[in-house]
Amino acid sequence: EKLFHNRDHSDVQILKTHQAPVITDEYKAELFLSRYGFIKPINWEEIQTESSDTYFSEDILDDLQAKIQEGTSVPHSRDGPGSGTHDVHVSQTGNQAFISALKEFQRVSDLPVTGVFDEATQEAMNKPRCGVPDKEIDAYVEPENTDGPDTEDSLSDSFNETGISSSNSSDDDIFNFNDTDTLLVGISNDTNRNSSSFSGLDGQMGKISMNASLSDTVR
Amino acid sequence: RRKRHLSSLVSKRRQRRDLDQTGFIAFSKSVLKWRLIGEGYSSQLSIEEQRYIFRLAFRMWSEVSPLEFIEDIRSPLEDVDIRLGFGTGRHLGCNQRFDGNGQEFAHAWFLGDIHFDDDEHFTAPNSHSGISLLKVAVHEIGHVLGLPHIYRPGSIMQPSYLPHESSFEMDWMDRKAIQHLYGACRGRFDTVFDWIRKEKTPYGDVTIRFNTYFMRDGLYWLYENRNNRTRYGDPVALQIGWHGLPSDGVDAYVHVWSRKKDYVYFFKGTQFWRYDSENDQVFRQDSEGQQYPKLISEGFPGVPSPISTAYYDRRDSCIYFFKGDKVYAFNVKTNSLARGFPKNIRAVFPPVESGDHPDGNIDAAYFSYTHNAIFLLKGTRFWQVVGSRERWRRPFLPRNGLMPHKEVDQQWFDICNVHPAALRL
């Protein structure tokens, strides 16, 4: 219940709700597109294809494990293994990527696909929405300097339980850790509606009108 | 070796995680526990309101899928499959902080956590302001069950919130999406029937209407043939909608309807009741002085009990009672078994395709006004009885022959159970 101290509740605390930052420019629009998976921050495919036929070099391996152990972000390196530094930050996406992501967002939102951050797009981005990404994203969602001890423990715990080094690791050890941190992902898909229409009616005792039951409209 | 292990894990995990277009099966069991966690209550609605709304949201998924949900406030939290909570900003040990009032209003996690941004103005169902907590909860539960965002107008899984019409429900495609993951709702029925009743129009005319009902154990569903689904909010407990019937269900329904007779009977065990359709309750004593319940052996001499099921055939004014692999034709005019009965079911209802026959122990015999046909249901299958029209078109078909079987859930859709604890919200 709302906090109050006066007997007549006249001092009910009107919760000071802070407003979500409004998306007003392309930079914020890009953050929105990235957050909901329209811009792929990294391409695991490259790493994966690299990894499937070339091994992780020793130091990357240790580095990877060390970083996951700490519950910090996994290096998002575009250059794949063997690159000089391992702490590669997500590079600023190219303008082309932004435009195609914007078009994809406009398409699925039933907006004119202009590729321009126009008013209709801005309005759509500021609508209330679910926080689950729209597109499959692979990147491990970086914890924002989680300070809650329980977060740290639970992450490292879940990692430890599924640690790569543990000898009795099961097949999907490596990414159980990630799963606890990756929002649900989803890819939209529209299959054709194959509704079956209801044929006419003529009972043995002649026309019987169907009951127009009230339940049609209300639960 | 370690490197090889790591890289093989990447590829395996990557494939397994690849969502196919319509989501992924998140749970392998069919009864799931949920809880509104104590540290996650909203400050905007009473706790009871919050729990009621979540109970309703889970029930809505249960009505269209084989899954059942039960609120569990006692087990250790790790035994609870789906945990719901409200928070603002950085909340509940979650990595995805909320952004305040506006934009992101909730999110769901792989392992069954659902968080609601309490900076949003969540409202109870049917209030026309704010964000419907029910609609958001149904959406997020859809994610936890494995559904992705679906950009189809009318889908509950659209990412953006649309101020909902007075009451929203799951449409056909959303139902098929969840059933694509967890299968259609299947199960045997005690009886299926079209309940006929007469209504007076404002002009004094009498119209005849019918509704189709499926009954199983102590539950019933009204089936809306023209919408290819059950009524929103079903199933309902039997004793709520059919006053005076046994609360654990019936074996059969029979409507004897001719120029002179209009009797509705329900059968259970060794007894039967006559139903007063005008007043929507069983007769204790009808206008002819008969008292109910009565013994089947009294009302229908020569018919054994309990019966499997029964139906009335207007063509020969006989009630066909089924028991085991036998069928008993009872002539309501002579008030006695028809000559030569009982017979083997196969003799009276021969298979059109040899080998495709229910044999005995029929669950329900149902004459459908919608399809103008008789169906024999057994388990999750049904056989349609060859009608006069088919025989006129294909004279070689045997009288009362049984067409090859089909699956009940391919003809009557979304007849799903809910957990007994969720039966009455």
Side-chain angles (χ1 to χ4, degrees), chain B residues 18-302:
Chain B
D18 258 353
L19 291 174
D20 71 23
Q21 292 293 310
T22 53
F24 59 95
I25 298 174
F27 295 96
S28 55
K29 54 187 179 181
S30 61
V31 179
L32 301 173
K33 296 174 184 172
W34 66 270
R35 181 186 300 172
L36 168 57
I37 56 177
E39 60 274 33
Y41 291 152
S42 166
S43 62
Q44 304 183 60
L45 297 161
S46 73
I47 295 172
E48 209 24 63
E49 258 181 335
Q50 295 167 47
R51 290 173 62 191
Y52 166 76
I53 290 171
F54 291 147
R55 270 199 291 271
L56 179 52
F58 280 105
R59 165 140 183 169
M60 289 176 79
W61 280 111
S62 192
E63 289 171 6
V64 298
S65 73
L67 300 172
E68 294 186 7
F69 301 94
I70 182 169
E71 184 181 16
D72 181 330
I73 54 178
R74 303 203 191 296
S75 305
L77 193 57
E78 56 269 19
D79 293 343
V80 175
D81 301 296
I82 302 175
R83 297 162 297 278
L84 305 101
F86 293 80
T88 57
R90 186 173 295 114
H91 57 279
L92 303 171
C94 175
N95 287 302
Q96 190 93 0
R97 67 180 297 162
F98 279 130
D99 52 10
N101 184 283
Q103 283 180 53
E104 191 166 322
F105 47 64
H107 50 230
W109 295 78
F110 255 121
L111 295 182
D113 292 291
I114 299 178
H115 299 153
F116 301 88
D117 184 351
D118 210 21
D119 273 330
E120 304 296 339
H121 175 40
F122 286 117
T123 54
N126 301 329
S127 68
H128 294 283
S129 66
I131 290 189
S132 162
L133 178 58
L134 176 63
K135 191 166 187 181
V136 171
V138 170
H139 176 101
E140 300 303 333
I141 293 167
H143 281 316
V144 168
L145 298 179
L147 289 181
H149 279 148
I150 299 173
Y151 299 93
R152 179 174 41 75
S155 171
I156 187 60
M157 296 311 293
Q158 290 184 84
S160 292
Y161 176 83
L162 304 174
H164 66 291
E165 50 290 338
S166 58
S167 64
F168 80 94
E169 294 288 349
M170 233 103 45
D171 68 8
W172 170 271
M173 293 298 283
D174 284 343
R175 292 161 180 246
K176 300 313 145 195
I178 198 72
Q179 290 164 17
H180 173 75
L181 298 181
Y182 295 96
C185 297
R186 292 192 179 90
R188 56 173 295 285
F189 292 100
D190 293 334
T191 189
V192 187
F193 57 91
D194 287 348
W195 184 50
I196 303 267
R197 66 181 178 285
K198 300 177 187 62
E199 285 175 354
K200 270 201 175 38
T201 66
Y203 313 103
D205 305 326
V206 174
T207 57
I208 295 171
R209 293 184 182 282
F210 79 91
N211 276 117
T212 300
Y213 291 94
F214 284 76
M215 289 188 174
R216 175 190 293 150
D217 303 331
L219 303 179
Y220 76 93
W221 294 258
L222 182 152
Y223 190 83
E224 295 182 9
N225 294 285
R226 67 187 169 291
N227 296 324
N228 288 313
R229 59 170 170 74
T230 56
R231 174 176 54 184
Y232 294 141
D234 284 3
V236 181
L238 204 59
Q239 70 267 27
I240 289 189
W242 297 87
H243 305 127
L245 290 186
S247 58
D248 59 345
V250 296
D251 295 331
Y253 162 98
V254 169
H255 183 198
V256 176
W257 195 16
S258 64
R259 291 190 194 296
K260 299 189 186 72
K261 293 176 188 280
D262 183 1
Y263 296 156
V264 172
Y265 296 120
F266 283 98
F267 298 78
K268 172 78 176 182
T270 59
Q271 298 179 309
F272 72 101
W273 290 256
R274 185 179 166 198
Y275 201 76
D276 176 0
S277 298
E278 295 295 315
N279 301 299
D280 208 357
Q281 62 188 9
V282 297
F283 278 109
R284 288 298 162 207
Q285 178 166 326
D286 66 11
S287 52
E288 296 156 19
Q290 299 286 349
Q291 294 190 337
Y292 297 92
K294 284 166 73 76
L295 288 176
I296 293 175
S297 53
E298 272 179 34
F300 306 91

Side-chain angles (χ1 to χ4, degrees), chain A residues 15 18 20-21 35-36 45 128-132 134 144 171-172 179 181 185 188 196 201 211 215-216, chain B residues 9 13-14 16 19 43 95 97 99 101 103-106 140 149 151 159 161 169 211 224 227-228 369:
Chain A
L15 281 178
H18 64 276
R35 180 183 179 101
Y36 295 117
E45 294 302 332
R129 63 154 288 143
C130 167
V132 171
D134 291 71
E144 297 183 4
D171 258 3
D172 54 0
D179 277 355
D181 285 282
V185 289
S188 75
S196 57
L201 163 76
N211 171 43
S215 61
D216 248 7
Chain B
L9 283 178
R13 187 64 195 167
R14 181 78 180 70
R16 204 161 81 80
L19 291 174
S43 62
N95 287 302
R97 67 180 297 162
D99 52 10
N101 184 283
Q103 283 180 53
E104 191 166 322
F105 47 64
E140 300 303 333
H149 279 148
Y151 299 93
Y161 176 83
E169 294 288 349
N211 276 117
E224 295 182 9
N227 296 324
N228 288 313
Y369 291 105

Side-chain angles (χ1 to χ4, degrees), chain B residues 389-425:
Chain B
R389 197 176 307 172
E390 281 94 352
R391 292 195 69 222
W392 181 74
R393 274 201 289 261
R394 296 186 281 171
F396 59 87
L397 290 174
R399 188 176 189 286
N400 281 344
L402 296 187
M403 306 294 278
H405 79 269
K406 291 180 184 169
E407 293 300 317
V408 172
D409 65 83
Q410 297 304 306
Q411 171 120 336
W412 293 281
F413 302 98
D414 307 348
I415 310 177
C416 304
N417 265 18
V418 298
H419 193 278
L423 193 55
R424 301 181 67 163
L425 289 174

